Amino acid sequence: MNFQKVPEGRPLRMAVIGAGNRANKYLEYARRHPERLQPVAVVDGNELRRNETAERFGLAAERRYADYDAFFARPADADAVLITTPDDVHFDPCMKAIDAGLHVLLEKPIAQRLDECRAIARRARERGVLVGICHVLRYHPYFAKIREIVDSGELGQIISVNHVAAVGIDRTTHSYVRGPWRREETSNPMLLAKCCHDVDFLLWITRSPCRKLSSFGSLRWFRAANAPQTSAERCIDCPVEHDCPYSAVDLYCTRRDWISNFDVPQGRTLDEVLLEELRHGPYGRCIYRCDNDVVDHQLLTMELADETILSLSMDIFTQDDCRRTHIKMTHGEIFGDERKLHVHRFRRGHNRVYDFEELAGHPFHAGADLRLIEDFVDALTRPGHPFLCTIEDSIESHRICFEAERSRRCGETIRLE
């Protein structure tokens, strides 16, 4: 599809709906390249976040909105919107942006239902606007190298892939048990919320549609029935906190991990905010006594139309937070853990190793966040430049995640048309 391009010589003008962590990661590109990308409005119900983002880019008071309906009533001079709101606030602002003739860069997952995902894609086609999905793995040097090796044909055809998404216990307790992705009603099934990236990557390298799938998993551990008998409602009051591997006191106050997600109002300190959270907020609750309902482990197996077999294991109970992939091919194999990528050819035992160790700790997903938004800008400013991950590309990975949840609940293998 040919989209309306931005006039040559001026930056892409973008409004931001949802001024949280992800938005500010992507907007780093605008800070570095103001000649290419210019934020023109910011929308967020959180006044602190709204004003911090607006002040970062010198936006006047009339360019700051508490809700997106107020923005769409007068969408300023935007060419596009970046939507990084919570999962349950994706569909409505995205449809309103499309109806306003604005291009959209939408954080994954697309929406909470498959029919909503398809409705967005259909409306975008009708209005002739670009809707891009933020699948950052496609822009990461490590995952791009895997795709390059597979596409070269040197190792023949893919027979099977084993992929592990090690979520990590700290990320899990912060985000998926105490945090905003703990309940399907206000977010999504965990496989979709966390691993639609991974499913998209697997489909990206195999280039074959899924024919059937099955999935297993449950909320096994983080339930009230598993709480130690002497434990308390909150970590800060708990007599067994010093031995608990899920302690919020240890995570936030001792190790100082995941604390960048807490807002610090003017006149207060981070330590004061953390103490208040431990005493009264959702992040201070006993891990066994939260209102979470998403799974804490899940396995997905897929058979593709070309008979390739894929398995994706979402593992929560890991110290590390990484992805491991083992690709078995007709003439060799590929194995990697995001730090090193091993390539082995069967004939003559030819081996080589690609070292990504130095990139592993780099910010912005090793620069993938910035490459993604640069690609979006290029697609709207440079003739003939295709965006790497449109909504049309992304819907299949979402369909698989939704169907995996159906398989998990009904205990059956799902055949896909």
Side-chain angles (χ1 to χ4, degrees), residues 166-228:
V167 181
I169 198 63
D170 290 344
R171 177 187 292 273
T172 299
T173 57
H174 176 81
S175 299
Y176 299 97
V177 183
R178 296 183 176 110
W181 294 278
R182 66 186 183 271
R183 295 186 60 80
E184 288 190 17
E185 181 183 1
T186 53
S187 59
N188 272 297
M190 188 169 173
L191 190 73
L192 180 66
K194 182 66 181 77
C195 294
C196 64
H197 278 326
D198 300 88
V199 176
D200 177 76
F201 164 68
L202 293 172
L203 297 177
W204 189 50
I205 63 172
T206 53
R207 299 173 183 263
S208 181
C210 182
R211 182 165 62 183
K212 58 184 177 181
L213 61 81
S214 60
S215 186
F216 309 90
S218 66
L219 174 55
R220 176 182 174 184
W221 188 245
F222 296 123
R223 300 182 297 161
N226 295 318

Side-chain angles (χ1 to χ4, degrees), residues 19-192:
N21 176 62
R22 294 307 300 152
N24 284 291
K25 289 289 195 296
Y26 297 130
L27 290 178
E28 175 65 15
Y29 183 84
R31 189 190 69 79
R32 297 184 186 188
H33 302 282
E35 77 286 356
R36 302 216 60 214
L37 180 64
Q38 178 186 356
V40 294
V42 59
V43 182
D44 200 295
N46 183 312
E47 183 180 10
L48 180 63
R49 294 184 179 186
R50 179 173 71 245
N51 288 334
E52 281 184 350
T53 300
E55 288 164 13
R56 184 179 174 194
F57 294 99
L59 299 181
E62 62 269 20
R63 298 298 182 99
R64 309 177 187 189
Y65 302 85
D67 67 84
Y68 57 79
D69 284 328
F71 164 74
F72 285 121
R74 296 173 54 200
D77 51 359
D79 305 303
V81 296
L82 170 65
I83 299 177
T84 51
T85 47
D87 292 7
D88 60 338
V89 194
H90 280 193
F91 178 72
D92 190 50
C94 187
M95 293 293 274
K96 287 177 176 174
I98 294 169
D99 287 341
L102 302 175
H103 304 289
V104 180
L105 184 59
L106 177 62
E107 183 57 87
K108 61 82 186 171
I110 298 170
Q112 290 184 293
R113 303 199 314 261
L114 183 58
D115 64 320
E116 291 179 339
C117 298
R118 288 172 167 159
I120 291 172
R122 183 169 58 251
R123 190 73 62 85
R125 287 194 299 270
E126 292 169 354
R127 295 302 303 266
V129 302
L130 170 62
V131 175
I133 308 302
C134 297
H135 284 303
V136 296
L137 296 190
R138 293 191 180 208
Y139 297 88
H140 193 291
Y142 168 85
F143 294 98
K145 176 56 73 174
I146 293 176
R147 159 97 166 196
E148 177 188 316
I149 295 167
V150 169
D151 284 357
S152 73
E154 64 171 297
L155 300 181
Q157 299 179 34
I158 296 177
I159 299 299
S160 65
V161 182
N162 298 108
H163 182 79
V164 174
V167 181
I169 198 63
D170 290 344
R171 177 187 292 273
T172 299
T173 57
H174 176 81
S175 299
Y176 299 97
V177 183
R178 296 183 176 110
W181 294 278
R182 66 186 183 271
R183 295 186 60 80
E184 288 190 17
E185 181 183 1
T186 53
S187 59
N188 272 297
M190 188 169 173
L191 190 73
L192 180 66

Side-chain angles (χ1 to χ4, degrees), residues 271-285:
D271 285 337
E272 290 172 341
V273 169
L274 292 176
L275 185 58
E276 179 72 13
E277 187 67 39
L278 289 173
R279 285 175 172 164
H280 305 292
Y283 293 96
R285 293 176 295 176

Side-chain angles (χ1 to χ4, degrees), residues 13 42 233 273 288 380:
R13 296 168 180 164
V42 59
E233 293 290 328
V273 169
Y288 301 103
L380 295 175

